[in-house]
Amino acid sequence: MELDFLTTWINEHALAILFIIALAILTRRFGMVPLEGFIRRAVKTSRFQTEAQHKQREQTLLDVSAGVFSLLVWMIAIAAIISQLEIDLRPLLAAGGLVGIVIAFGAQKVMQDIFAGLYVIVENQYQIGDVVDLDGDVGTVEDISLRMAVLRDLDGTVHHVPHGTVQRSKNLSKEYARVNLDIGVDYSSDIKKVIEVVNRVGVELAQDEDWQKRIITPPQFLRINDFADSAIVIKIIGETKPLAQWEVAGELRKRLKFAFDEAGIVIPFPQSVVHEAEGTEAHISKLKK
């Protein structure tokens, strides 16, 4: 009797459940193929984007879409399995009403993160591979989901930042970047000569075969930015490809140091002048006696 019941249950339900699971696995594996094709066609390269940025945008959308698609597939599969088992969920839902309310309050934060994540993705605020500052958490974006962004900073530390907690995001690698240097020169320096040396070094750097692919606009003198205590501070500006600003700035500093030394331009260090009051030495001598 029990064997007949088990055989009947397997014939009516078990095989159907196995079929649903197998179908869900196949749908999850191959269902993304047409979606991937649609995403690749939909993503357009703007006049500011390089091929690498285009690929980053594609990869970001593909990763997020795959996560959402997988969640939907398994939700539908679970619902179909419950239907096959002929489980009446109404008593469970009625008994779990209070629990559902508690869970709903707890899920508000998750939903806030998800909605914020949708804005991040749709507006293309940042994508995988970008360097961003999310309310002080700075690093390279390694992964983006609907709920959070995963950053890795220069120390190798991984930061998991929920989208809903971010009040202000800064993308340090979108479209182009900028070299922005303030350098002090001595007050006795010939400013015309300083400008000539700075502009020459910037052009030479931009024409260098090892650097020209990373530089959009050669670093050039912009203005005298400040009269500081020990130096005249000049500002130097130039545009680079995304993420190249730091290495270009470092190379520019090195070349400017060599060029300033050759031209006799002094980069001063902070100095303090101490004025001794008249009669101080005589007063100290009397106290010693």
Side-chain angles (χ1 to χ4, degrees):
M1 189 72 176
E2 292 181 359
L3 184 61
D4 292 340
F5 173 78
L6 181 61
T7 303
T8 303
W9 189 90
I10 291 175
N11 291 333
E12 293 181 356
H13 301 290
L15 294 178
I17 291 173
L18 289 175
F19 175 77
I20 291 170
I21 294 174
L23 183 62
I25 293 173
L26 291 174
T27 303
R28 170 63 187 86
R29 185 168 182 178
F30 299 106
M32 275 295 295
V33 174
L35 184 58
E36 286 181 8
F38 172 77
I39 290 174
R40 296 184 193 281
R41 290 191 299 271
V43 176
K44 304 296 183 181
T45 304
S46 74
R47 63 188 182 91
F48 296 108
Q49 284 186 317
T50 63
E51 184 64 23
Q53 290 174 312
H54 178 66
K55 293 296 183 184
Q56 288 176 355
R57 175 66 172 161
E58 277 188 358
Q59 192 59 49
T60 301
L61 291 175
L62 288 173
D63 289 349
V64 173
S65 299
V68 174
F69 182 74
S70 179
L71 178 63
L72 290 175
V73 167
W74 286 112
M75 286 177 63
I76 294 171
I78 291 172
I81 290 172
I82 292 174
S83 176
Q84 276 294 322
L85 295 175
E86 298 179 351
I87 297 175
D88 188 0
L89 296 179
R90 287 176 295 179
L92 293 176
L93 292 175
L98 181 59
V99 176
I101 294 174
V102 174
I103 293 175
F105 278 110
Q108 284 182 350
K109 183 60 180 175
V110 175
M111 294 307 298
Q112 179 183 348
D113 293 336
I114 291 174
F115 280 116
L118 284 173
Y119 281 110
V120 169
I121 294 164
V122 171
E123 295 175 356
N124 194 21
Q125 295 177 14
Y126 49 84
Q127 54 199 12
I128 294 173
D130 282 347
V131 177
V132 298
D133 179 347
L134 304 181
D135 286 342
D137 291 317
V138 182
T140 303
V141 181
E142 290 196 338
D143 189 26
I144 299 177
S145 67
L146 281 179
R147 201 176 74 81
M148 69 172 60
V150 180
L151 313 182
R152 186 180 296 274
D153 63 22
L154 288 177
D155 296 326
T157 305
V158 175
H159 302 259
H160 298 268
V161 185
H163 296 302
T165 64
V166 178
Q167 298 298 317
R168 180 177 297 176
S169 64
K170 301 176 184 178
N171 193 329
L172 308 182
S173 55
K174 188 159 186 160
E175 298 174 359
Y176 68 91
R178 182 169 287 163
V179 171
N180 182 2
L181 295 182
D182 288 335
I183 295 180
V185 297
D186 193 80
Y187 271 96
S188 62
S189 302
D190 183 344
I191 296 299
K192 290 183 179 179
K193 186 177 181 180
V194 171
I195 295 173
E196 185 274 326
V197 171
V198 168
N199 291 345
R200 173 172 56 81
V201 171
V203 171
E204 290 174 354
L205 178 60
Q207 293 175 347
D208 191 305
E209 291 183 358
D210 295 331
W211 295 92
Q212 61 184 1
K213 292 182 179 180
R214 285 172 271 191
I215 298 175
I216 299 173
T217 303
Q220 299 286 283
F221 172 89
L222 179 65
R223 62 173 178 260
I224 293 177
N225 209 41
D226 191 18
F227 290 116
D229 293 338
S230 305
I232 299 174
V233 181
I234 62 172
K235 180 170 285 294
I236 302 170
I237 290 291
E239 292 181 359
T240 72
K241 296 292 180 64
L243 302 180
Q245 64 268 39
W246 299 293
E247 54 185 352
V248 171
E251 180 67 15
L252 179 63
R253 289 188 185 97
K254 183 183 74 175
R255 296 191 180 207
L256 283 175
K257 181 62 172 68
F258 292 150
F260 282 180
D261 288 346
E262 291 178 0
I265 299 171
V266 177
I267 301 176
F269 52 86
Q271 302 178 30
S272 298
V273 178
V274 179
H275 297 277
E276 188 175 278
E278 185 177 351
T280 300
E281 291 183 0
H283 180 66
I284 292 174
S285 178
K286 289 181 180 179
L287 289 175
K288 287 182 178 180
K289 293 179 180 179

